[in-house]
């Protein structure tokens, strides 16, 4: 199939991109680290930072983010500015310095122990939520001050994510900039959101944006419910607009995509060499089937539920013993938060227990990879996996599902996907759908995926690849900027 069918239209699409752009996010696109006697630069890791970086290069704008690299200060000027990328400086990264207390309360506290669980419908009973919120407000103000110092009237300011809900209002008080924000995680129901004592202030901050984007229409609709429930607003549900304090905020649904071409290329170029050595290193036999799971170690990703389904699979379908290896690549995340540390221990213990229960001299059912794999190695792992198990309990989108599809460059595998992931709205029809809480059915689904005939696999993967390539990161960016141009008029 051709993956470049949309490229020509896209040149025209780029005309919507703003001349003057300020991006604001918690994570930075480059971090400087001390390495031996010198310095090293960590490249953009996440899909979004990697995707926005080329846009920034063409606009020569400013990206404002938390400078968390241990050598960041030594290469930045008195305002925290450094030109990046290091090998071809073309835009400004302006770093904000956070104290340990800021990180504890703004990042680990309010962002990740209050907003994150509330938006993902998880339990949250956090002590100190009010103190966390005070610091969250302070840090948002500092981000806003940096924006004001960097922008002119009419600059497009693009906030990313839930760390920065209050900053747009502060910016608007000082500057007539065009503000937009993309919320990368789910937006909760009014019943969930109303539990937050700070709900009014959060909505007041977000409604300072001219354009507010979510992955799915349902998240935007829930936002409308919350705005109508908490504030004195006029809501136009058809147009997805909110009028508040005499200003209008337009909501939009823009499902985030990946740089599919890049993943495809990586899967092609990593070659057999990687797989042969990976397989040998982890004792995976050449004839074995492989299932893969790749996640940040986060309680929303449904990793224990997936391990329970695998255990059930080996109990109920003993023919998979000795034949299937599940490779779990889990990256540590937010380890200052007890719930994340507990999850890490639980996953390790469960893997050990299941391995102990079923392993034989020649076969280990679960390979738990805790070391670093670069983008090419990950693509190689996806490429050679007969199925991917993507089982979040709640997820804004889930880019791993998309990456797996983009990496299927030869014999196609099968995507087993939770119906609770945002990506399911896009891909669900062509996947084996599961509910991660339904262990028995999940086990059946893995069995079904592993036994699926070649024709059916090909048909489904072709359909999935069309969707993933047609809705890629470039397309997402075009959609967002086109909507911004329309709202601007
Ligand atoms: O999914 C939301 C998100 O903030 C992503 O943008 C990011 O890649 C991920 O969570 C990682 O979180 P953190 O920045 O806390 O490590």
């Amino acid at each position: 199939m051709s993956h470049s069918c949309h490229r020509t239209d896209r040149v025209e699409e780029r005309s919507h991109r703003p001349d003057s752009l300020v991006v604001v996010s918690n994570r930075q696109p480059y971090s400087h680290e001390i390495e031996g006697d010198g310095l090293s630069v960590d490249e953009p890791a996440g899909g979004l930072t990697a995707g926005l970086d080329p846009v920034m290069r063409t606009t020569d704008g400013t990206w404002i983010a938390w400078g968390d690299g241990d050598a960041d200060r030594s290469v930045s000027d008195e305002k925290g500015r450094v030109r990046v990328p290091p090998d071809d400086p073309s835009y400004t990264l302006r770093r904000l310095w956070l104290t340990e207390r800021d990180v504890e309360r703004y990042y680990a506290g309010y962002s990740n122990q209050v907003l994150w669980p509330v938006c993902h419908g998880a339990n949250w009973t956090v002590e100190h939520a009010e103190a966390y919120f005070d610091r969250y407000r302070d840090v948002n103000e500092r981000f806003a001050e940096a924006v004001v110092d960097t922008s002119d009237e009419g600059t497009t300011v693009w906030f990313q994510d839930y760390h920065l809900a209050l900053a747009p209002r502060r910016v608007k008080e000082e500057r007539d900039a065009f503000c937009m924000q993309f919320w990368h995680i789910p937006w909760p129901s009014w019943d969930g959101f109303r539990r937050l004592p700070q709900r009014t202030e959060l909505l007041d901050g977000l409604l300072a944006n001219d354009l507010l984007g979510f992955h799915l229409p349902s998240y935007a609709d829930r936002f409308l419910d919350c705005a109508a429930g908490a504030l004195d607003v006029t809501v136009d549900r058809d147009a997805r607009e909110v009028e508040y304090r005499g200003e209008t905020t337009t909501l939009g649904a823009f499902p985030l995509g990946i740089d599919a071409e890049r993943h495809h290329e990586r899967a092609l170029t990593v070659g057999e060499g990687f797989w042969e050595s990976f397989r040998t290193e982890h004792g995976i036999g050449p004839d074995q089937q492989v299932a893969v799971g790749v996640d940040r170690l986060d309680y929303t990703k449904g990793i224990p539920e997936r391990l329970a389904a695998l255990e059930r699979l080996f109990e109920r379908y003993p023919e998979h013993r000795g034949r299937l290896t599940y490779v779990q690549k889990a990256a540590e995340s937010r380890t200052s938060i007890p719930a994340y540390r507990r999850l890490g221990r639980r996953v390790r213990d469960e893997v050990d227990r299941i391995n102990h229960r079923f392993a034989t001299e020649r076969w280990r059912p679960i390979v738990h990879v805790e070391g670093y794999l670069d983008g090419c190695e990950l693509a190689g792992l996806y490429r050679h996996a007969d199925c991917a198990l993507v089982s979040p309990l709640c997820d804004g989108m889930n880019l791993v599902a998309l990456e797996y599809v983009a990496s299927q460059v030869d014999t196609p595998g099968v995507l087993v996907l939770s119906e609770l992931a945002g990506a399911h709205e896009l891909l669900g029809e062509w996947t084996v759908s599961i509910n991660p809480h339904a262990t028995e059915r999940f086990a059946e689904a893995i069995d079904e995926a592993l036994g699926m005939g070649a024709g059916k696999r090909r048909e489904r993967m072709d359909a999935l690849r069309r969707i993933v390539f047609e809705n890629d990161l470039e397309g997402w960016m075009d959609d967002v900027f086109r909507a911004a141009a329309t709202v601007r008029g």
Side-chain angles (χ1 to χ4, degrees), residues 34-343:
I34 297 168
E35 195 176 272
D37 290 340
L39 291 184
S40 70
V41 182
D42 279 357
E43 290 286 312
L48 180 72
T49 35
L52 278 171
D53 182 70
V55 179
M56 292 305 289
R57 291 182 197 211
T58 55
T59 60
D60 190 13
T62 299
W63 188 323
I64 300 169
W66 165 29
D68 65 337
D70 50 19
D72 281 349
R73 275 178 198 267
S74 66
V75 298
S76 308
D77 71 8
E78 76 291 348
K79 285 191 167 180
R81 292 172 305 197
V82 58
R83 297 287 290 171
V84 290
D87 53 351
D88 176 24
S90 30
Y91 69 93
T92 302
L93 169 60
R94 178 168 175 158
R95 288 162 166 158
L96 219 80
W97 310 120
L98 300 186
T99 64
E100 260 182 50
R101 182 49 77 91
D102 292 334
V103 176
E104 182 196 316
R105 295 188 167 191
Y106 142 80
Y107 169 74
Y110 202 76
S111 299
N112 285 317
Q113 287 181 87
V114 180
L115 286 178
W116 179 271
V118 165
C119 289
H120 287 86
N123 287 333
W124 70 293
T125 40
V126 180
E127 288 171 43
H128 321 301
E130 282 164 326
Y132 288 167
F133 189 67
D134 285 344
R135 194 57 69 114
Y136 179 86
R137 189 194 293 114
D138 283 358
V139 173
N140 267 254
E141 268 163 22
R142 270 140 61 194
F143 270 100
E145 279 161 22
V147 172
V148 170
D149 191 42
T150 307
S151 57
D152 300 315
E153 305 296 304
T155 299
T156 296
V157 183
W158 193 7
F159 295 96
Q160 306 293 329
D161 233 342
Y162 59 101
H163 314 86
L164 299 169
L166 305 180
R169 175 66 59 201
R170 299 288 176 270
V171 170
K172 279 283 187 165
E173 283 164 1
E174 301 285 328
R175 270 275 175 284
D176 187 21
F178 182 84
C179 289
M180 54 191 220
Q181 186 149 10
F182 191 80
W183 194 263
H184 288 261
I185 62 176
W187 187 271
S189 67
W190 168 231
D191 270 354
F193 185 71
R194 70 189 304 187
R195 294 184 295 162
L196 284 171
Q198 301 82 12
R199 62 189 185 222
T200 310
E201 206 171 336
L202 291 164
L203 290 168
D204 177 75
L206 289 168
L207 287 170
N209 286 295
D210 300 281
L211 176 66
L212 180 56
F214 299 90
H215 291 293
L216 303 181
S218 56
Y219 302 162
D221 290 340
R222 288 189 215 152
F223 182 91
L224 292 176
D225 296 340
C226 293
L231 300 173
D232 184 13
V233 292
T234 308
V235 166
D236 180 336
R237 286 185 183 271
D238 295 329
R240 291 211 174 89
E241 285 177 358
V242 184
E243 210 185 298
Y244 171 63
R245 292 171 64 166
E247 303 288 340
T248 301
T249 301
T250 303
L251 311 192
F254 310 100
L256 181 59
I258 59 164
D259 185 342
E261 207 75 60
R262 185 156 176 237
H263 286 274
H264 173 90
E265 286 304 320
R266 281 176 167 175
L268 275 181
T269 49
V270 64
E272 290 297 319
F274 158 75
W275 182 242
E276 282 310 303
S277 59
F278 182 90
R279 200 175 64 57
T280 314
E281 184 189 339
H282 295 289
I284 303 172
D287 300 328
Q288 271 174 32
Q289 287 193 297
V290 172
V292 70
V294 175
D295 313 87
R296 273 189 312 106
L297 265 173
D298 192 299
Y299 52 80
T300 61
K301 301 293 178 187
I303 306 171
E305 288 74 6
R306 194 182 309 157
L307 295 175
L310 282 155
E311 181 170 27
R312 187 70 192 118
L313 177 88
F314 291 123
E315 279 168 359
R316 194 170 141 190
Y317 306 93
E319 62 274 23
H320 291 296
R321 296 188 200 169
R323 284 228 46 199
L324 169 69
T325 300
Y326 169 63
V327 179
Q328 171 72 52
K329 170 74 197 88
E332 289 222 310
S333 179
R334 304 177 188 165
T335 47
S336 66
I337 300 173
Y340 286 75
R341 291 200 299 275
R342 277 199 300 277
L343 175 76

